[in-house]
Amino acid sequence: MPYPLATPDDLKETVRAVEALGRRVVARQADVRDIDQLLAAVADGVGELGRLDIVCANAGIVPPFVGPTDPASRSRAFAQVVDINLTGVFRTVEACKQAVIDSGDGGSIIVTSSLAGLRAIGAGGGYGESKHGLVGLVRCYAQELAPHHIRVNSIHPTNVRTPMLINEATMRAFRPDLEHPTEDDALEGFQTLNLLPVPYIEAADVSDTVLFLASAESRFITGAAIPVDAGGAVK
């Protein structure tokens, strides 16, 4: 990938932060392309903590900005992105849903899509296609799980100021006229996606929305595509 990926050290930091609050955590590294790994991770978590109420399916990748041009290579690259971004979410929900049903108190499944799942923004190569697919997946699961009082929703962020955005490859995609653009160089390009005059949102803006959808305050919201996009979907 052309940008920094999450690392085992990031997972260790999450464990440290949770335990610092006096809470228990079961952390496992799993590939969303492998249903057996996901099932094992869920079984470990439920076995240790007793139940599962909230699922947050957040794994996703962006394809290379300058990808292959021949049909066979493009097809393989497309399949990899869809296998993680769309089918990976399907596997995650499948691995988790029975445990959420068994909790007996409803629950919430939260899927991270993108502004690219609400309108075409030029993000091809499987990215925009997979993120649009998540909208349909969420609606279907919302119908399937409603009898169990389980809510299923998607979140659609615009640019988020994380290493996935603030890196040379991504910034160059927004400023192709510059060989080595800086963050300041890219701000104008970032802002072109948004209706509000801002280049990006912060990670906390997304996590706050996750917390809302995980809470009882959103108890009657299901099957919804929630934009956190600075108005980008209506631009």
Side-chain angles (χ1 to χ4, degrees):
M1 293 298 107
Y3 54 86
L5 299 176
T7 69
D9 285 341
D10 293 325
L11 185 59
K12 290 177 183 177
E13 173 58 22
T14 300
V15 171
R16 186 206 62 77
V18 172
E19 292 179 341
L21 295 173
R23 299 291 189 261
R24 292 184 297 156
V25 58
V26 176
R28 296 290 184 271
Q29 187 172 331
D31 188 335
V32 295
R33 294 170 294 183
D34 188 325
I35 185 64
D36 292 329
Q37 290 185 24
L38 294 171
L39 287 166
V42 172
D44 287 351
V46 173
E48 175 68 25
L49 302 175
R51 59 187 292 144
L52 179 61
D53 299 285
I54 309 298
V55 178
C56 185
N58 187 61
I61 63 170
V62 175
F65 299 109
V66 180
T69 56
D70 64 286
S73 296
R74 282 175 56 83
S75 179
R76 287 190 291 269
F78 182 97
Q80 180 188 41
V81 174
V82 171
D83 199 23
I84 294 170
N85 290 11
L86 178 58
T87 314
V89 172
F90 167 78
R91 294 188 193 98
T92 300
V93 177
E94 286 297 302
C96 294
K97 70 178 185 182
Q98 190 58 51
V100 182
I101 292 170
D102 291 344
S103 75
D105 293 325
S108 178
I109 297 173
I110 304 153
V111 170
T112 303
S113 180
S114 167
L115 171 59
L118 297 177
R119 71 175 177 91
I121 60 173
Y127 187 79
E129 297 89 339
S130 62
K131 295 300 188 178
H132 271 77
L134 289 175
V135 175
L137 182 144
V138 160
R139 290 172 177 169
C140 291
Y141 271 124
Q143 289 189 331
E144 176 185 341
L145 297 174
H148 303 284
H149 297 277
I150 297 170
R151 300 174 290 108
V152 188
N153 297 286
S154 58
I155 298 175
H156 298 260
T158 183
N159 295 321
V160 185
R161 193 176 186 274
T162 68
M164 194 174 188
L165 180 72
I166 308 302
N167 64 81
E168 186 169 300
T170 306
M171 293 188 295
R172 193 165 54 246
F174 280 89
R175 286 299 307 270
D177 56 313
L178 299 177
E179 185 175 359
H180 299 291
T182 65
E183 181 177 349
D184 285 343
D185 292 330
L187 293 179
E188 184 177 350
F190 292 156
Q191 189 172 318
T192 60
L193 292 182
N194 304 327
L195 188 62
L196 295 176
V198 296
Y200 41 58
I201 63 175
E202 300 292 339
D205 297 307
V206 181
S207 58
D208 284 348
T209 308
V210 171
L211 288 172
F212 169 70
L213 290 174
S215 74
E217 293 177 350
S218 61
R219 60 182 178 158
F220 296 128
I221 300 175
T222 193
I226 309 294
V228 190
D229 65 351
V234 296
K235 185 172 182 182

